[in-house]
Amino acid sequence: MISKFYISPIIRITLTLFYLALLLPLPFLAQLTAGASPLWMTVGILLGLIPVQGALAQQVVTDDREIRVQYPWWVPRFLVKSWSLAWSEVTDLKMRTTGQGGLVYYLIDRHQQGYLLPMRIAGFAKLTEILTSHTGIDTKDVRPLSQPWMYFILAGLTLLLLAIDGWAVSVALHPGAIGYHP
């Protein structure tokens, strides 16, 4: 049976909004300060959105033979790394700490090569059940890298930033309204 898992919607939405919140005011502010071309800045922001969305389009596919991490056809292969690993090749699941103190897990094959277990997907508990059923590896203590509450906090802060961006853009479009006259 084939199962597909995608990056969690809260993560996709939050990171996309964060990208936009950081960059959308720039063309308006460039217009106000007579800096770089607002048109080219907008084009750059839209082009930059492509690799962001590409990274967030990761798919984990499992079937009776293997686990695969892949990306849609429109994501350039030089930006991302797809991989597949037959269940029969998986010998272990090793935990590693990240530089920020989190935990990540690697599927280890017969050649001792590690494959990062995707941990930001919706349905992670089901993925670990599938992993256990095909390999016999105990995954009961394996948890997702980031808990949803972390992304809810980031989403809230991003919405606050978007509100501030709205104010900054309104000032850029109507500088006389606050007494600023360039």
Side-chain angles (χ1 to χ4, degrees), residues 2-7 57-63 66-71 83 87 107 116-122 124 127 130:
I2 295 176
S3 296
K4 279 191 177 185
F5 302 92
Y6 301 92
I7 301 244
Q58 180 186 67
Q59 303 169 5
V60 179
V61 180
T62 62
D63 58 28
E66 67 183 356
I67 179 173
R68 287 187 313 275
V69 172
Q70 62 189 29
Y71 296 84
W83 57 265
W87 293 120
L107 296 170
L116 182 63
L117 181 66
M119 301 176 70
R120 290 185 170 98
I121 58 170
F124 183 74
L127 176 64
I130 292 169

Side-chain angles (χ1 to χ4, degrees), residues 8 13 15 18-19 21 71 88 95 105 142:
S8 173
I13 292 166
L15 293 179
F18 188 61
Y19 173 86
Y71 296 84
S88 61
M95 176 183 66
Y105 295 87
V142 177

